[in-house]
Amino acid sequence: MTALPAPARIPLLILGLAALLTGVLAGLARLGVDVPSIAATQAGTHAALMICAFFGTVISLERAVALDGLSAYLGPAAAGTGGVLLIAGAPLWVPQSLFVGAALVVLLGSFQVMQRQFALFTVMLALGAVCWLLGNLVWFVNGDLQGAVPFWLAFLVVTIAGERLELTRFLPVRRAAAPSFIALSCLVLGGMLFTPVEPEHGRIAFAAGLLALAAWLLRYDIARHNASQQGLTRFIAICLLSGYVWLATGAIAGLAGGFTPGHALYDAAMHAVALGFVFAMVFGHAPIIFPAVVKVKIPYHAAFYLPLTLLHISLALRVFGDVVDSLALRQSGAIANAATLAVFIATMLLSVARGAWQPAKSKRSRARLTPGG
């Protein structure tokens, strides 16, 4: 028997989705798009809602399911509740404290995993949790949300890279893979830590590390081999490979100064990484992660490519708007980004319904074949 049954995990997921919806609308408000007032008032906390409240809830929920201990669910509960209280206008220190607590729970869980299996990828997952915790502390202590963003980006990138690193053990051993991964990760983390001290050079180092890490993933990830397969395996591989291209794109924009708040390429750099890279990972892994978390079937269908295609087209339009300094194109791309996420959620829900209908159909078919049925 699991520590927390699947139906009891759904409210935690709903808290994360509430943060996602509000965060997306708050992002549109930042570009001057008319949105409901409850979201418009959160324009300044867009990054916190998306990374701490949404991704924090989803990632910590996934970890809690893997650890299967009741205390591990305090992480997603704290992150999700923090998001709701942030939206509700609670005193800022309250959701900030909850986000710090959520990161601590994830970090402690990461230490448990390292005790069970000490490996490079488990160390990376723990370092990702450290990045999240540091970013939350920067925001809590200084009230500087922009100062927390590099730590939050590193949290997402390092966590994803660590999870992908785990799967490279199924490939033939390559001597250069692990040492180069460690070196590139040190560059990313070093740039992150150096940014508060020397912003310009820290951001350049951070961007250079992201670009090199994108090249590493394109070179060594098992997705290169799986892209020639069929069905869900091929879909996941294409999601991953396209996400690595967006990570490289964001890093290139960052090398041009795009990670500096107020820079002309800031929107392009941030969303190439946080939207193009991270959500491509979400699209690819959702058919695997959500069945494990909420115990539903999500059978593969070619329609999965629709939201992925829309993601790339809408983000390309947005980035092009940034490059040519066109607010209209940037707004159109951002609105299309939001619509893409809605299409993705609808696609997943329809697939869940399809997965629930298929077993029922199969049972009826077997009943008709049974004598006397």
Side-chain angles (χ1 to χ4, degrees), residues 205-219:
F206 183 67
L210 294 184
L211 180 59
L213 186 59
W216 190 97
L217 290 166
L218 285 167
R219 174 70 178 85

Side-chain angles (χ1 to χ4, degrees), residues 2 24 43 51 63 71 78 85 92 99 143 156 177 184 190 198 205 216 234 242 247 274 279 297-298 331-332 339 350:
T2 58
V24 168
I51 298 177
R63 300 284 181 85
S71 61
L85 291 177
L92 189 57
F99 293 144
L156 296 176
L184 300 178
E198 180 55 53
W216 190 97
R234 177 182 175 85
S242 61
L247 178 60
F279 271 96
K297 292 184 178 180
I298 301 184
Q331 288 177 329
S332 298
L350 288 173

